[in-house]
Coordinates of all heavy atoms in Angstrom, one line a residue:
A180 N -69.1 -88.6 -137.9 CA -69.2 -87.3 -138.1 C -69.5 -86.3 -136.9 O -69.3 -85.1 -136.8 CB -70.4 -86.9 -139.1
H181 N -70.0 -86.9 -135.7 CA -70.4 -86.2 -134.7 C -69.2 -86.2 -133.5 O -69.4 -85.7 -132.5 CB -71.6 -86.9 -134.0 CG -72.8 -86.8 -134.9 ND1 -73.1 -85.7 -135.6 CD2 -73.6 -87.7 -135.3 CE1 -74.2 -85.9 -136.2 NE2 -74.5 -87.1 -136.1
L182 N -68.1 -87.0 -133.7 CA -67.1 -87.0 -132.7 C -66.4 -85.8 -132.3 O -65.8 -85.7 -131.3 CB -66.2 -88.3 -133.0 CG -66.7 -89.6 -133.1 CD1 -65.7 -90.6 -133.5 CD2 -67.3 -89.9 -131.7
D183 N -66.6 -84.8 -133.3 CA -65.8 -83.6 -133.0 C -66.8 -82.6 -132.3 O -66.3 -81.5 -132.0 CB -65.2 -83.0 -134.2 CG -64.1 -83.8 -134.7 OD1 -63.3 -84.3 -133.9 OD2 -63.8 -83.8 -136.0
E184 N -68.0 -83.1 -132.0 CA -68.9 -82.1 -131.5 C -69.0 -82.3 -129.9 O -69.4 -83.4 -129.4 CB -70.4 -82.3 -132.1 CG -70.4 -82.0 -133.5 CD -71.5 -82.4 -134.3 OE1 -72.4 -83.1 -133.7 OE2 -71.8 -81.9 -135.5
C185 N -68.6 -81.3 -129.2 CA -68.5 -81.5 -127.7 C -69.5 -80.6 -127.0 O -69.8 -79.4 -127.5 CB -67.1 -80.9 -127.4 SG -65.7 -81.8 -128.2
I186 N -69.8 -81.1 -125.9 CA -70.8 -80.3 -125.0 C -70.4 -80.4 -123.6 O -69.7 -81.4 -123.2 CB -72.3 -80.8 -125.1 CG1 -72.4 -82.3 -124.5 CG2 -72.8 -80.9 -126.6 CD1 -73.9 -82.7 -124.4
Y187 N -70.8 -79.5 -122.8 CA -70.7 -79.6 -121.3 C -71.6 -78.7 -120.7 O -71.8 -77.5 -121.1 CB -69.3 -79.3 -120.9 CG -69.0 -79.8 -119.5 CD1 -68.6 -81.1 -119.2 CD2 -69.2 -79.1 -118.3 CE1 -68.4 -81.6 -118.0 CE2 -69.0 -79.5 -117.0 CZ -68.5 -80.8 -116.9 OH -68.4 -81.3 -115.6
E188 N -72.4 -79.3 -119.7 CA -73.3 -78.3 -118.8 C -72.5 -77.7 -117.8 O -72.0 -78.3 -116.9 CB -74.4 -79.2 -118.2 CG -75.5 -78.3 -117.5 CD -76.6 -79.0 -116.8 OE1 -76.7 -80.2 -117.1 OE2 -77.3 -78.3 -116.0
L189 N -72.4 -76.4 -117.8 CA -71.6 -75.7 -116.8 C -72.2 -75.8 -115.4 O -73.5 -76.0 -115.3 CB -71.6 -74.2 -117.1 CG -70.8 -73.9 -118.4 CD1 -70.9 -72.3 -118.7 CD2 -69.5 -74.4 -118.5
P190 N -71.5 -75.8 -114.4 CA -72.0 -75.8 -112.9 C -72.9 -74.7 -112.8 O -72.6 -73.5 -112.9 CB -70.8 -75.7 -112.1 CG -69.7 -75.2 -112.9 CD -70.0 -75.5 -114.4
G191 N -74.2 -74.9 -112.3 CA -75.2 -73.9 -112.0 C -74.8 -72.8 -111.1 O -75.1 -71.6 -111.2
G192 N -74.0 -73.2 -110.0 CA -73.6 -72.3 -109.0 C -72.8 -71.2 -109.6 O -72.9 -70.1 -109.4
S193 N -71.7 -71.6 -110.3 CA -70.7 -70.7 -110.9 C -71.4 -69.9 -111.9 O -71.2 -68.7 -112.0 CB -69.6 -71.4 -111.3 OG -68.7 -72.0 -110.4
W194 N -72.2 -70.5 -112.8 CA -72.8 -69.7 -113.8 C -73.8 -68.6 -113.2 O -73.8 -67.5 -113.7 CB -73.8 -70.5 -114.8 CG -74.3 -69.8 -115.8 CD1 -75.8 -69.4 -115.8 CD2 -73.8 -69.4 -117.0 NE1 -75.9 -68.6 -117.0 CE2 -74.8 -68.6 -117.7 CE3 -72.4 -69.3 -117.5 CZ2 -74.4 -67.9 -119.0 CZ3 -72.3 -68.7 -118.9 CH2 -73.3 -68.1 -119.5
G195 N -74.6 -69.0 -112.3 CA -75.5 -68.0 -111.6 C -74.7 -66.8 -111.0 O -75.1 -65.7 -110.9
A196 N -73.6 -67.2 -110.2 CA -72.8 -66.1 -109.6 C -72.2 -65.3 -110.6 O -72.1 -64.0 -110.4 CB -71.7 -66.8 -108.7
L197 N -71.7 -65.8 -111.7 CA -71.1 -65.1 -112.8 C -72.1 -64.1 -113.4 O -71.9 -62.9 -113.6 CB -70.6 -66.0 -113.9 CG -69.8 -65.5 -115.1 CD1 -69.0 -66.6 -115.7 CD2 -70.9 -65.1 -116.1
A198 N -73.4 -64.7 -113.7 CA -74.4 -63.8 -114.3 C -74.8 -62.7 -113.3 O -75.0 -61.5 -113.8 CB -75.6 -64.7 -114.6
Y199 N -74.9 -63.0 -112.1 CA -75.3 -61.9 -111.1 C -74.2 -60.9 -111.1 O -74.5 -59.7 -111.0 CB -75.6 -62.6 -109.8 CG -76.1 -61.6 -108.8 CD1 -77.5 -61.3 -108.8 CD2 -75.3 -60.9 -107.8 CE1 -78.1 -60.4 -107.9 CE2 -75.9 -60.1 -107.0 CZ -77.3 -59.7 -107.0 OH -77.9 -58.9 -106.1
E200 N -73.0 -61.2 -111.0 CA -71.9 -60.3 -111.1 C -71.9 -59.4 -112.3 O -71.5 -58.3 -112.2 CB -70.6 -61.0 -110.9 CG -69.3 -60.2 -110.9 CD -68.1 -61.0 -110.9 OE1 -67.6 -61.5 -109.8 OE2 -67.5 -61.3 -112.0
N201 N -72.4 -59.9 -113.4 CA -72.4 -59.2 -114.6 C -73.8 -58.6 -115.1 O -74.0 -58.3 -116.2 CB -71.8 -60.0 -115.8 CG -70.3 -60.3 -115.6 OD1 -69.5 -59.4 -116.0 ND2 -69.9 -61.5 -115.2
R202 N -74.7 -58.5 -114.1 CA -76.1 -58.2 -114.4 C -76.1 -56.7 -115.2 O -75.5 -55.8 -114.7 CB -76.9 -58.2 -113.2 CG -76.5 -57.3 -112.0 CD -77.3 -57.6 -110.8 NE -76.9 -56.7 -109.6 CZ -75.8 -56.9 -108.8 NH1 -74.9 -57.9 -109.2 NH2 -75.5 -56.0 -108.0
G203 N -76.8 -56.8 -116.3 CA -76.9 -55.6 -117.0 C -75.7 -55.3 -117.8 O -75.6 -54.2 -118.4
K204 N -74.8 -56.2 -117.9 CA -73.6 -55.9 -118.5 C -73.2 -57.2 -119.5 O -74.0 -58.1 -119.7 CB -72.3 -55.8 -117.6 CG -72.4 -54.7 -116.7 CD -71.2 -54.6 -115.6 CE -71.3 -53.4 -114.7 NZ -72.4 -53.4 -113.8
T205 N -72.0 -57.1 -120.2 CA -71.6 -58.2 -121.0 C -70.3 -58.8 -120.6 O -69.6 -58.2 -119.8 CB -71.4 -57.7 -122.5 OG1 -70.3 -56.6 -122.5 CG2 -72.8 -57.0 -123.0
A206 N -70.0 -60.0 -121.1 CA -68.7 -60.7 -121.0 C -68.4 -61.3 -122.2 O -69.2 -61.6 -123.1 CB -68.9 -61.8 -119.7
K207 N -67.1 -61.6 -122.3 CA -66.5 -62.3 -123.5 C -66.2 -63.7 -123.2 O -65.5 -63.9 -122.3 CB -65.3 -61.6 -124.1 CG -65.4 -60.0 -124.4 CD -66.3 -60.0 -125.6 CE -66.2 -58.5 -126.1 NZ -66.8 -58.3 -127.4
L208 N -66.7 -64.6 -124.1 CA -66.5 -66.0 -123.9 C -65.5 -66.5 -125.0 O -65.7 -66.1 -126.3 CB -67.8 -66.8 -124.0 CG -67.6 -68.4 -124.2 CD1 -67.1 -68.9 -122.9 CD2 -69.1 -69.0 -124.5
S209 N -64.5 -67.2 -124.7 CA -63.5 -67.8 -125.5 C -63.3 -69.3 -125.2 O -63.4 -69.6 -123.9 CB -62.3 -67.1 -125.7 OG -61.6 -67.0 -124.6
I210 N -62.9 -70.2 -126.1 CA -62.6 -71.6 -125.8 C -61.3 -72.0 -126.4 O -61.0 -71.6 -127.6 CB -63.7 -72.6 -126.2 CG1 -65.1 -72.2 -125.7 CG2 -63.4 -74.0 -126.2 CD1 -66.2 -73.0 -126.0
T211 N -60.4 -72.7 -125.5 CA -59.1 -73.3 -126.0 C -59.2 -74.7 -125.7 O -59.7 -75.1 -124.7 CB -57.9 -72.6 -125.3 OG1 -57.9 -71.2 -125.5 CG2 -56.7 -73.2 -125.8
T212 N -58.7 -75.5 -126.7 CA -58.8 -77.0 -126.5 C -57.4 -77.6 -126.4 O -56.4 -76.9 -126.9 CB -59.6 -77.6 -127.7 OG1 -59.0 -77.4 -128.8 CG2 -60.9 -77.2 -127.6
S213 N -57.3 -78.7 -125.9 CA -55.9 -79.4 -125.8 C -56.1 -80.8 -125.6 O -57.1 -81.4 -125.2 CB -55.2 -78.7 -124.5 OG -54.0 -79.5 -124.2
D214 N -54.9 -81.5 -125.9 CA -54.9 -83.0 -125.6 C -54.1 -83.2 -124.3 O -54.0 -84.4 -123.7 CB -54.1 -83.7 -126.7 CG -52.6 -83.3 -126.8 OD1 -52.3 -82.4 -126.1 OD2 -52.0 -83.9 -127.7
G215 N -53.7 -82.1 -123.5 CA -53.1 -82.3 -122.2 C -51.6 -82.8 -122.3 O -51.0 -83.1 -121.3
A216 N -51.1 -83.0 -123.6 CA -49.7 -83.5 -123.6 C -48.9 -82.8 -124.7 O -48.1 -83.3 -125.4 CB -49.9 -85.0 -124.1
G217 N -49.1 -81.6 -124.7 CA -48.3 -80.7 -125.6 C -49.0 -80.1 -126.8 O -48.3 -79.2 -127.5
S218 N -50.1 -80.5 -127.2 CA -50.8 -79.9 -128.3 C -52.1 -79.2 -127.8 O -52.9 -79.6 -127.1 CB -51.3 -81.0 -129.2 OG -52.1 -80.4 -130.3
A219 N -52.1 -77.9 -128.2 CA -53.2 -77.0 -127.8 C -53.7 -76.2 -129.0 O -52.8 -75.8 -129.9 CB -52.8 -76.0 -126.6
S220 N -54.9 -75.8 -129.0 CA -55.4 -74.8 -130.0 C -55.2 -73.4 -129.7 O -54.9 -73.1 -128.6 CB -57.0 -75.1 -130.2 OG -57.6 -74.5 -129.1
T221 N -55.5 -72.7 -130.7 CA -55.5 -71.2 -130.4 C -56.9 -71.0 -129.8 O -57.8 -71.8 -130.0 CB -55.3 -70.3 -131.7 OG1 -56.3 -70.8 -132.7 CG2 -53.9 -70.5 -132.3
A222 N -57.1 -69.9 -129.2 CA -58.4 -69.6 -128.6 C -59.4 -69.2 -129.6 O -59.1 -68.6 -130.7 CB -58.2 -68.3 -127.7
S223 N -60.6 -69.5 -129.5 CA -61.6 -69.2 -130.4 C -61.9 -67.6 -130.3 O -61.5 -67.0 -129.5 CB -63.1 -69.9 -130.0 OG -63.4 -69.4 -128.7
A224 N -62.4 -67.2 -131.4 CA -62.8 -65.7 -131.4 C -63.7 -65.5 -130.3 O -64.7 -66.2 -130.0 CB -63.4 -65.4 -132.8
P225 N -63.5 -64.3 -129.5 CA -64.4 -64.1 -128.4 C -65.8 -63.9 -128.8 O -66.0 -63.2 -129.8 CB -63.7 -62.8 -127.7 CG -62.9 -62.2 -128.8 CD -62.5 -63.3 -129.7
L226 N -66.7 -64.5 -128.0 CA -68.2 -64.3 -128.2 C -68.7 -63.5 -127.1 O -68.5 -63.6 -125.9 CB -68.7 -65.7 -128.1 CG -70.1 -66.0 -128.6 CD1 -70.2 -66.0 -130.2 CD2 -70.7 -67.2 -128.0
T227 N -69.4 -62.4 -127.5 CA -70.1 -61.5 -126.4 C -71.4 -62.1 -126.0 O -72.3 -62.6 -126.7 CB -70.4 -60.1 -127.0 OG1 -69.2 -59.6 -127.4 CG2 -71.0 -59.3 -126.1
L228 N -71.5 -62.2 -124.7 CA -72.8 -62.7 -124.0 C -73.2 -61.5 -123.0 O -72.4 -60.8 -122.4 CB -72.5 -63.9 -123.1 CG -72.0 -65.1 -123.8 CD1 -71.9 -66.3 -122.8 CD2 -72.9 -65.6 -125.0
A229 N -74.5 -61.3 -123.0 CA -75.1 -60.3 -122.1 C -75.9 -61.0 -121.1 O -76.3 -62.1 -121.2 CB -75.9 -59.3 -122.9
F230 N -76.1 -60.2 -119.9 CA -77.0 -60.7 -118.9 C -78.1 -59.7 -118.5 O -77.8 -58.5 -118.6 CB -76.1 -61.0 -117.7 CG -75.0 -62.0 -118.1 CD1 -73.8 -61.6 -118.5 CD2 -75.3 -63.3 -117.8 CE1 -72.8 -62.6 -118.7 CE2 -74.3 -64.4 -118.1 CZ -73.0 -64.0 -118.5
S231 N -79.1 -60.2 -118.0 CA -80.3 -59.5 -117.8 C -80.0 -58.6 -116.5 O -79.1 -58.8 -115.7 CB -81.5 -60.3 -117.5 OG -81.4 -61.1 -116.4
D232 N -80.8 -57.5 -116.4 CA -80.7 -56.6 -115.2 C -81.1 -57.3 -114.0 O -80.6 -57.1 -112.9 CB -81.4 -55.3 -115.5 CG -80.8 -54.5 -116.5 OD1 -80.9 -54.9 -117.7 OD2 -80.3 -53.4 -116.3
D233 N -82.0 -58.1 -114.0 CA -82.7 -58.7 -112.9 C -83.1 -60.2 -113.2 O -83.0 -60.6 -114.4 CB -84.1 -58.0 -112.5 CG -83.8 -56.5 -112.0 OD1 -83.3 -56.5 -110.9 OD2 -84.0 -55.7 -112.8
A234 N -83.5 -61.0 -112.3 CA -84.1 -62.2 -112.5 C -85.3 -62.2 -113.3 O -86.1 -61.2 -113.1 CB -84.3 -63.0 -111.1
V235 N -85.5 -63.0 -114.2 CA -86.8 -63.1 -115.0 C -87.8 -63.8 -114.0 O -87.7 -65.0 -113.7 CB -86.6 -63.8 -116.2 CG1 -88.0 -64.0 -116.9 CG2 -85.8 -62.9 -117.1
Q236 N -88.9 -63.1 -113.8 CA -89.9 -63.7 -112.9 C -91.1 -64.1 -113.6 O -91.4 -63.6 -114.8 CB -90.4 -62.6 -111.8 CG -89.2 -62.0 -111.0 CD -88.8 -63.0 -110.0 OE1 -88.9 -64.1 -110.0 NE2 -88.1 -62.4 -109.0
G237 N -91.9 -65.1 -113.1 CA -93.0 -65.6 -113.9 C -92.9 -67.1 -113.9 O -92.0 -67.8 -113.6
A238 N -94.0 -67.7 -114.6 CA -94.0 -69.1 -114.8 C -94.5 -69.4 -116.2 O -95.2 -68.6 -116.9 CB -95.1 -69.8 -113.8
L239 N -94.1 -70.6 -116.7 CA -94.4 -70.9 -118.2 C -95.1 -72.3 -118.2 O -94.8 -73.1 -117.5 CB -93.0 -71.1 -118.9 CG -93.0 -71.1 -120.3 CD1 -93.4 -69.8 -120.9 CD2 -91.7 -71.6 -120.9
Y240 N -96.2 -72.2 -119.0 CA -97.0 -73.5 -119.3 C -96.8 -73.7 -120.8 O -96.8 -72.8 -121.6 CB -98.5 -73.2 -119.1 CG -98.9 -73.0 -117.6 CD1 -98.5 -71.9 -116.9 CD2 -99.7 -74.0 -117.0 CE1 -99.0 -71.8 -115.6 CE2 -100.0 -73.9 -115.7 CZ -99.8 -72.8 -115.0 OH -100.2 -72.7 -113.6
F241 N -96.6 -74.9 -121.3 CA -96.4 -75.2 -122.7 C -96.9 -76.6 -122.9 O -97.2 -77.6 -122.0 CB -94.9 -75.0 -123.1 CG -93.9 -76.0 -122.4 CD1 -93.6 -77.1 -123.0 CD2 -93.4 -75.6 -121.1 CE1 -92.7 -78.0 -122.4 CE2 -92.5 -76.5 -120.6 CZ -92.1 -77.7 -121.2
W242 N -97.1 -76.9 -124.3 CA -97.5 -78.1 -124.7 C -96.4 -78.9 -125.3 O -95.5 -78.5 -125.9 CB -98.6 -77.9 -125.9 CG -99.2 -79.1 -126.6 CD1 -98.9 -79.5 -127.8 CD2 -100.2 -79.8 -126.0 NE1 -99.7 -80.7 -128.0 CE2 -100.4 -80.9 -126.9 CE3 -100.8 -80.0 -124.8 CZ2 -101.4 -81.9 -126.8 CZ3 -101.7 -81.0 -124.5 CH2 -102.0 -81.9 -125.5
S243 N -96.4 -80.2 -124.8 CA -95.3 -81.1 -125.2 C -95.7 -82.4 -125.7 O -96.7 -83.0 -125.2 CB -94.4 -81.3 -123.9 OG -93.3 -82.1 -124.3
V244 N -95.0 -82.8 -126.9 CA -95.5 -84.0 -127.6 C -94.3 -84.9 -127.9 O -93.2 -84.4 -128.4 CB -96.3 -83.7 -128.9 CG1 -96.7 -85.0 -129.5 CG2 -97.5 -82.8 -128.6
A245 N -94.4 -86.2 -127.6 CA -93.3 -87.1 -127.9 C -93.7 -88.2 -128.9 O -94.8 -88.7 -128.6 CB -92.8 -87.8 -126.6
D246 N -93.0 -88.4 -130.0 CA -93.4 -89.4 -130.8 C -92.8 -90.6 -130.6 O -91.5 -90.7 -130.5 CB -92.9 -89.0 -132.4 CG -93.3 -90.0 -133.5 OD1 -93.6 -91.1 -133.2 OD2 -93.0 -89.6 -134.6
L247 N -93.5 -91.6 -130.2 CA -93.1 -93.0 -129.7 C -93.2 -93.9 -130.9 O -93.8 -95.1 -130.7 CB -93.7 -93.4 -128.5 CG -93.7 -92.4 -127.3 CD1 -94.4 -92.9 -126.1 CD2 -92.2 -92.1 -126.9
G248 N -92.7 -93.6 -132.1 CA -93.0 -94.6 -133.1 C -94.3 -94.7 -133.8 O -94.8 -95.8 -133.9
G249 N -95.0 -93.6 -133.8 CA -96.4 -93.6 -134.3 C -97.4 -93.4 -133.2 O -98.6 -93.0 -133.5
A250 N -97.1 -93.7 -132.0 CA -97.9 -93.4 -130.9 C -97.4 -92.1 -130.2 O -96.1 -91.8 -130.2 CB -98.0 -94.5 -129.9
Y251 N -98.2 -91.4 -129.5 CA -97.7 -90.1 -128.9 C -98.1 -89.9 -127.5 O -99.2 -90.2 -127.1 CB -98.4 -88.9 -129.8 CG -98.0 -88.7 -131.2 CD1 -98.4 -89.6 -132.2 CD2 -96.8 -87.9 -131.6 CE1 -98.0 -89.5 -133.5 CE2 -96.4 -87.9 -132.8 CZ -96.9 -88.6 -133.9 OH -96.5 -88.6 -135.1
E252 N -97.1 -89.4 -126.7 CA -97.4 -88.9 -125.5 C -97.5 -87.4 -125.6 O -96.8 -86.7 -126.3 CB -96.2 -89.2 -124.4 CG -96.1 -90.7 -124.2 CD -95.0 -91.0 -123.2 OE1 -94.1 -89.9 -123.0 OE2 -94.9 -92.0 -122.7
S253 N -98.6 -86.8 -124.9 CA -98.8 -85.4 -125.0 C -99.3 -84.8 -123.7 O -99.9 -85.6 -122.9 CB -99.7 -85.1 -126.2 OG -100.9 -85.6 -126.0

Side-chain angles (χ1 to χ4, degrees):
H181 298 310
L182 291 178
D183 291 328
E184 296 174 346
C185 303
I186 69 169
Y187 195 86
E188 183 180 352
L189 297 182
S193 291
W194 179 262
L197 181 159
Y199 189 80
E200 181 182 273
N201 290 280
R202 58 193 183 277
K204 297 181 175 66
T205 61
K207 299 286 188 180
L208 167 67
S209 60
I210 298 180
T211 304
T212 61
S213 168
D214 65 358
S218 173
S220 73
T221 55
S223 65
L226 193 79
T227 299
L228 301 180
F230 298 90
S231 63
D232 292 65
D233 295 281
V235 171
Q236 305 286 21
L239 196 67
Y240 290 70
F241 64 95
W242 179 252
S243 183
V244 181
D246 183 348
L247 304 179
Y251 292 81
E252 290 181 345
S253 62

